[in-house]
Amino acid sequence: MAAPRPPAPATNGIALSKKDEKKHKSAPLIGIDIGGTGIKGGIVDLKKGKLIGDRFRIPTPQPATPESVAEVVAQIVEELSSRPDAPAADAPVGLTFPGIIQHGVVRSAANVDKSWLDKDIDALLTARLGRPVEVINDADAAGLAEARYGAGAGVNGTVLVITLGTGIGSAFIFDGKLVPNAELGHLEIDGFDAESKASAVARERDGLSWEEYSVLLQRYFSHVEFLFSPELFIVGGGISKRSDEYFPHLKLRTKIVTAELKNDAGIVGAALEVALNRKLAE
Ligand code: BGC
C-alpha cells in the first residue's frame, strides 16, 4: 500500500520548489508586522533573531481595509527590497495580523476593520506582492520569536506570552513549539471580555493608576495561571517596559518576565514562521 501523503501545507500561497528551498535556506527574510497604528517591516537575520538595518514603518491607513493595507505592505516590501541586504526577489515574506489566522484566512477582527472578517489575507497579499507569503497572528509571532531568541529560549513545558496593547494577545508555546491561535485575551472574567478591561489601552482609557491596573492584571494572570499552570509568563507589548510599575504587585506562583525582543518581536516572528513552514530554518 502506498504511504499516506503528507498533509498539504496550511497556506494558499505559492509553494517553493526544492531548488528554491535550498537557495533561501538560512538566508535573511522580510518580516512585516501589521498593527492598528503602524505597519512596520524589516529584514530578519534568522540565525540571530535580529534585524539587519533599520525598521521601515508606515502609519496604518484609515480605514484599514484589506486593499489599503495590502498597498502599504507592498510599499514596505518595495523599500526593503531596494536595500543591498535584501533577500532574493522571490523569497517568501512573513506577515503578522492582529486576529485569528487559520489557513491564511482572517477569522476574527476584534480591533481591526470588520471588512477583514473571512478575508483570505494569504491570497490577497500573495497576489499583490507576486511572491509567496505566510500570515500569522501577531501575538503568535511575538511568542515564536521569544521562544527561540528571547525570554523563552530553552524553557520546556508551557510558556504563555501575553501582549498588553490595544487588545490582549496571547501565544501558547509548548516545548518551544507554538500552538496557534490561543485567544486568551478574550477570556471572560467577572462578566467582561478580559481585554476590554485589562489591556494597556483600557488602562489609559479608564485613567487607572499602576496600582489600580495591577489589581486587574492580578485577576487576569491568576485566572490564566489556574487554567494552564505554565512554567513561565512573558509579557510583551508597549507597556512591558513599565513592568517595574506592576510586576511587584503581582502575586503568582509562575515566574513572570518581560519580552526581550521589544518592538521587533512581531517582525522577527513573522519571518521565522515563514522560514519554519517552508523548511528554510530548523
Ligand atoms: C485579537 C488577537 C490579537 C490581540 C493583539 C486581540 O483582540 O483577538 O488575535 O492577537 O488582540 O493584537
Side-chain angles (χ1 to χ4, degrees), residues 162-165 167 198-201 203-204 210 213 217 235-247 258 263:
I162 305 289
T163 62
L164 302 171
S199 71
V201 162
R203 182 189 87 85
E204 281 167 21
W210 288 111
Y213 185 52
L217 289 182
V235 179
I239 64 161
S240 60
K241 38 180 183 297
R242 305 293 303 274
S243 62
D244 47 344
E245 305 274 8
Y246 50 91
F247 274 8
T258 55
N263 278 333

Side-chain angles (χ1 to χ4, degrees), residues 97-100 108-111 137-140 163 165-170 181-183 185-186 193 195:
F97 185 83
I100 297 171
S108 77
N111 295 306
N137 171 265
D138 57 355
D140 280 354
T163 62
T166 310
I168 296 183
S170 60
N181 289 315
E183 284 284 339
H186 297 287
D193 187 44
E195 74 168 20

Side-chain angles (χ1 to χ4, degrees), residues 182-194:
E183 284 284 339
L184 305 183
H186 297 287
L187 284 171
E188 187 182 314
I189 298 186
D190 300 330
F192 292 96
D193 187 44

Side-chain angles (χ1 to χ4, degrees), residues 28-32 39-45 50-58 74-89 131 264 267:
L29 289 177
I30 290 178
I32 296 189
I39 302 182
K40 45 203 189 187
I43 300 173
V44 180
D45 177 335
K50 285 195 165 46
L51 298 199
I52 303 170
D54 291 337
R55 287 193 293 156
F56 183 63
R57 180 185 186 277
I58 297 182
Q75 286 171 30
I76 293 174
V77 171
E78 201 182 321
E79 197 277 345
L80 296 172
S81 302
S82 70
R83 298 183 184 180
D85 294 314
R131 55 202 277 178
D264 294 337
I267 298 174

